[in-house]
Amino acid sequence: QDPYFQKDVDLAEMRMNITGTVILDKGTGSDPEPKVKAKVASIIGNDYTSEQFKNIFNALYLGRKSAESLTMYKCSAGDRSANIKSCTNLTNPQNVPIQWDGMKTKVDNILASITDKIVTGQGRFTPTEVGLIESTNLPIYRFISAATASDMFVYSSTNNPAQQFGALIAQDIVLKNLQNLVEKVQFRVENDTNNLSDDKTVKECAAQLKDVRVGLSQQQYKVEREGEL
């Protein structure tokens, strides 16, 4: 269990649905072999055109601006109230309202500040702005500098070249973070310290995670190609 996710059950539940999960019931003295209690397939899968992928992607990309709710498994109410570190029973898939700002909103706000500083030549980039520039393979600084270089360009909130690029940057960051998350979980599954990595169900989970990474890589490549055009 990751201490970071133990502090935020909602975030942990989303991660569980993104990567898929296997809940094992510990064996007893007479039957020490762990038994599979619940198994949830990743809601991403290797098909980035599926409705499941679009649902989770839009929840992260658009946040509260998404037109749909997020459909996912949740920990049972008993588990949630009794022990924040425990999730041994799952509900059926539920529609969950999205109550956070999406990556697109966050990126647009940061890009607006970056563009203003490039155009006016005033102010240094904040650590957050530098972090955005460094967090994506898309050439943010070069794009904005080129777009605003013309003497005919007049910057305003309605004429912000960064908005044209913001969607691709936000998509790239969401996909990269999903890729990092799945990679971390895959490593833990394949190197389990409880000697479960040879279990059939756990092996299936590891194989599924590989498929998820393939799907994410395909979509990320598509986004990066659009950014080059």
Side-chain angles (χ1 to χ4, degrees):
Q1 295 184 354
D2 191 324
Y4 175 72
F5 288 101
Q6 289 176 5
K7 297 176 183 178
D8 191 330
V9 178
D10 293 322
L11 188 59
E13 286 173 336
M14 177 177 284
R15 179 178 119 155
M16 176 182 72
N17 282 265
I18 290 171
T19 63
T21 192
V22 176
I23 297 177
L24 298 172
D25 200 355
K26 287 185 177 180
T28 62
S30 59
D31 186 9
E33 290 297 320
K35 300 292 189 296
V36 176
K37 187 174 183 179
K39 179 181 177 182
V40 176
S42 168
I43 59 177
I44 296 179
N46 64 353
D47 181 7
Y48 59 81
T49 64
S50 71
E51 291 304 315
Q52 287 180 312
F53 178 86
K54 292 176 183 177
N55 183 245
I56 186 67
F57 181 81
N58 285 334
L60 297 170
Y61 171 60
L62 296 174
R64 67 182 80 248
K65 292 183 179 180
S66 177
E68 57 188 10
S69 58
L70 177 61
T71 303
M72 67 180 194
Y73 291 88
K74 295 180 67 66
C75 300
S76 67
D79 276 353
R80 276 176 151 260
S81 59
N83 184 356
I84 195 172
K85 298 180 181 180
S86 173
C87 184
T88 57
N89 295 282
L90 302 177
T91 65
N92 291 323
Q94 296 182 2
N95 289 329
V96 180
I98 302 171
Q99 300 176 332
W100 56 82
D101 288 330
M103 184 59 66
K104 178 67 165 61
T105 298
K106 296 177 181 179
V107 167
D108 282 346
N109 291 338
I110 298 172
L111 284 178
S113 177
I114 291 175
T115 303
D116 182 69
K117 290 174 180 176
I118 291 176
V119 172
T120 63
Q122 298 179 356
R124 294 184 175 183
F125 292 150
T126 65
T128 299
E129 292 162 354
V130 173
L132 177 64
I133 294 172
E134 294 178 346
S135 66
T136 175
N137 294 330
L138 301 174
I140 298 176
Y141 187 86
R142 188 178 70 191
F143 176 85
I144 297 176
S145 297
T148 58
S150 172
D151 293 337
M152 302 296 292
F153 176 79
V154 178
Y155 171 72
S156 69
S157 59
T158 58
N159 186 28
N160 184 351
Q163 291 183 349
Q164 306 168 29
F165 213 43
L168 291 177
I169 294 168
Q171 290 173 35
D172 184 57
I173 292 173
V174 168
L175 291 166
K176 184 175 291 184
N177 278 279
L178 286 174
Q179 188 75 269
N180 290 340
L181 170 61
V182 174
E183 183 178 359
K184 180 187 294 185
V185 174
Q186 181 185 350
F187 177 82
R188 290 187 176 182
V189 169
E190 293 178 342
N191 297 274
D192 179 71
T193 57
N194 295 312
N195 299 318
L196 293 173
S197 53
D198 289 332
D199 180 85
K200 178 182 177 183
T201 304
V202 175
K203 282 185 175 181
E204 290 174 352
C205 180
Q208 174 185 274
L209 290 170
K210 290 181 180 179
D211 285 343
V212 171
R213 290 183 63 190
V214 169
L216 290 172
S217 295
Q218 290 173 340
Q219 182 66 356
Q220 192 167 9
Y221 175 76
K222 178 182 176 182
V223 169
E224 290 178 356
R225 284 290 296 149
E226 288 183 29
E228 293 172 358
L229 298 178

